[in-house]
């Protein structure tokens, strides 16, 4: 679907090279937003941008590592030069590494924290001046049902997503007065590369869950983000728990 009120807005989507991020970017572009695609994989970003442009949308690819401050700073400069001030940011990039708490390498925990928490904060800090200067802007965080529910081997991942959920809740008080609408989305299982990379017992658990509860398409998340960010400024959809 396409939505009014997005035409002409400049959006930034992290983790836009595939899955949920690519679907969000496509949905925003279909409604007329100029979309900056941020991710590490340059070739995959180009593929997403080509699809958006083939459908009449406007997309900019910006190879970005959100665990690097200099990379994010360079992305801000590139977006400003191409599209101007940003009025919509979707913090979507994330990583899932399910492992038992007793045997997981600390490096895996650090990677999830670096991307899912510190990376989110880095992008937030970089684009907040744009958002607060816009009069009406949107900040969307893609958290997870794991912020509330608990599953074997997902303790650290769930903790990182709980941090994202709390951050969104707190930012409403801080960023709401300058006109930034903060929305937190907590999906259940979604078709993405993250799911494909989970194997072994953790993969079997997910397969059993999917067989009973189903799985969301990435496009459904993309449509939801376009919907909530296209609402009039006085309509604040603060939080969505989005499961099949």
């Amino acid at each position: 679907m396409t939505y009014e009120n997005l035409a002409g807005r400049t959006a930034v989507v992290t983790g836009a090279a595939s899955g949920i991020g690519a679907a969000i970017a496509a949905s925003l572009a279909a409604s007329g937003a100029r979309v900056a695609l941020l991710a590490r994989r340059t070739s995959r970003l180009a593929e997403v941008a080509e699809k958006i442009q083939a459908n009449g949308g406007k997309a900019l690819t910006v190879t970005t590592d959100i665990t690097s401050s200099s990379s994010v700073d360079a992305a801000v400069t590139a977006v400003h030069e191409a599209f101007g001030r940003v009025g919509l940011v979707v913090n979507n990039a994330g990583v899932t590494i399910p492992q038992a708490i007793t045997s997981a390498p600390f490096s895996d925990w650090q990677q999830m924290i670096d991307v899912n928490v510190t990376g989110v904060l880095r992008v937030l800090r970089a684009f907040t001046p744009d958002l607060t200067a816009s009069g009406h802007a949107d900040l969307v965080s893609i958290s997870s049902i794991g912020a509330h529910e608990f599953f074997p081997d997902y303790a650290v991942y769930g903790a990182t997503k709980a941090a994202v959920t709390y951050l969104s809740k707190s930012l409403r008080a801080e960023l709401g007065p300058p006109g930034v609408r903060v929305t937190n989305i907590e999906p259940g299982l979604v078709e993405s590369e993250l799911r494909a990379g989970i194997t072994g017992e953790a993969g079997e658990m997910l397969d059993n869950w999917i067989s009973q509860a189903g799985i969301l398409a990435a496009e459904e998340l993309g449509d939801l983000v376009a919907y909530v960010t296209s609402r009039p400024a006085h309509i604040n959809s603060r939080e969505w728990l989005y499961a099949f």
Side-chain angles (χ1 to χ4, degrees), residues 5 9 135-138 179-181 228-237:
N5 300 331
R9 295 180 68 182
H136 167 56
D138 282 283
V180 182
R181 176 169 51 191
V228 299
T229 56
S230 67
R231 299 305 88 195
H234 68 281
I235 298 177
N236 193 335
S237 298

Side-chain angles (χ1 to χ4, degrees), residues 184-222:
N184 188 54
I185 298 176
E186 299 170 331
L189 288 176
V190 183
E191 294 173 348
S192 71
E193 290 184 353
L194 292 181
R195 166 64 194 92
I198 298 173
T199 58
E201 292 183 4
E204 291 178 9
M205 186 197 78
L206 289 181
D207 288 339
N208 290 334
W209 185 2
I210 292 168
S211 67
Q212 297 179 46
I215 188 168
L216 294 165
E219 290 74 16
E220 292 176 298
L221 265 293

Side-chain angles (χ1 to χ4, degrees), residues 115-235:
V115 176
N116 299 358
V117 181
T118 311
V120 166
L121 292 171
R122 189 171 281 113
V123 172
L124 168 68
R125 170 65 69 85
F127 287 104
T128 291
D130 283 23
L131 297 178
T132 55
S134 297
H136 167 56
D138 282 283
L139 173 64
V140 179
S141 298
I142 305 299
S143 181
S144 168
I145 192 175
H148 303 285
E149 304 297 334
F150 56 89
F151 310 97
D153 301 338
Y154 286 84
V156 176
Y157 171 76
T160 65
K161 290 303 184 179
V164 171
T165 290
Y166 180 83
L167 177 67
S168 296
K169 183 180 297 185
S170 181
L171 286 176
R172 292 185 195 108
E174 190 168 348
L175 299 182
V180 182
R181 176 169 51 191
V182 181
T183 303
N184 188 54
I185 298 176
E186 299 170 331
L189 288 176
V190 183
E191 294 173 348
S192 71
E193 290 184 353
L194 292 181
R195 166 64 194 92
I198 298 173
T199 58
E201 292 183 4
E204 291 178 9
M205 186 197 78
L206 289 181
D207 288 339
N208 290 334
W209 185 2
I210 292 168
S211 67
Q212 297 179 46
I215 188 168
L216 294 165
E219 290 74 16
E220 292 176 298
L221 265 293
D223 180 72
L224 176 61
V225 171
Y227 172 78
V228 299
T229 56
S230 67
R231 299 305 88 195
H234 68 281
I235 298 177

